[in-house]
Amino acid sequence: MFTVGQAKSRGPYAKTATRQADILRAARDSFADRGYASASLRDIAERAGITHAGLLHHFRNKEELLAAVLAQRDAEEWQEGRAEVDGRSESLGRYLVDVLLRHQKSPELMRLWLELAAASSRPDHPAHDYFVERYERSRTHLARAAHEQAAEGKLREGISPEQAALLFQAVLNGLQVQWLLDSRIDLADALNAFLELIRAPSDP
């Protein structure tokens, strides 16, 4: 499984958490400044203060480095989400709307994330296991929140918590794709509309 801070070793040099953090920070800046296609490993190495060969002892190629950058951002958002939501299912929707709005400020990373998620559907892709685990973990958290909503009579009848979690993931990803194609789309408004669709109607 590909995880943050874990790249396949090449050569006798030991990887350190500090060095990898420097490389990931440099890669995130390079991808944001130049775009993934134009960013080079040599530029990233220079920003990180190491040689090109030194970078390759930590990450085999640019694709693996991109996976690590996006996985790091994902891990940061999960930690932040746990702190903000803290078991309160009613806070989850608001938090995810905020995440979407923050992603709009870094469209290049949003685009790269979606492209990598699609490419990793291949079983031989270096990020395949990471994305399988990531989506499974996301569905588990979303379904748990939906179960709480169902227990309180707040989930629309006929939709199971597991279905709600799956649909939520689909809507979240689909909205980002559509926004990248047409930035006039109001992501927050559309996501809130979906949440209303799966919410049990209020008593008149």
Side-chain angles (χ1 to χ4, degrees), residues 77-94:
E77 289 180 351
W78 274 110
Q79 292 173 358
E80 181 182 292
R82 285 197 298 267
E84 288 195 19
V85 176
D86 192 24
R88 301 183 302 275
S89 60
E90 69 278 3
S91 302
L92 182 60
R94 290 195 298 272

Side-chain angles (χ1 to χ4, degrees), residues 89-188:
S89 60
E90 69 278 3
S91 302
L92 182 60
R94 290 195 298 272
Y95 168 70
L96 290 174
V97 169
D98 289 341
V99 168
L100 266 186
L101 294 177
R102 286 203 299 273
H103 285 185
Q104 285 181 287
K105 297 177 182 178
S106 302
E108 182 65 25
L109 287 179
M110 182 193 290
R111 182 178 297 106
L112 292 174
W113 172 267
L114 293 167
E115 290 174 352
L116 186 61
S120 69
S121 63
R122 300 195 310 269
D124 61 344
H125 192 279
H128 175 79
D129 289 344
Y130 168 75
F131 272 93
V132 169
E133 188 276 335
R134 189 264 183 192
Y135 276 105
E136 187 174 309
R137 173 163 47 92
S138 172
R139 283 194 300 273
T140 298
H141 283 280
L142 291 169
R144 185 179 300 129
H147 271 288
E148 294 176 9
Q149 293 288 300
E152 297 170 4
K154 296 180 180 178
L155 186 64
R156 183 175 291 275
E157 186 176 350
I159 299 178
S160 71
E162 289 72 25
Q163 288 173 329
L166 191 61
L167 289 170
F168 199 103
Q169 282 186 329
V171 169
L172 209 58
N173 286 356
L175 282 176
Q176 291 180 89
V177 171
Q178 292 187 67
W179 180 80
L180 287 169
L181 293 169
D182 184 354
S183 60
R184 294 171 299 177
I185 291 174
D186 188 328
L187 290 182

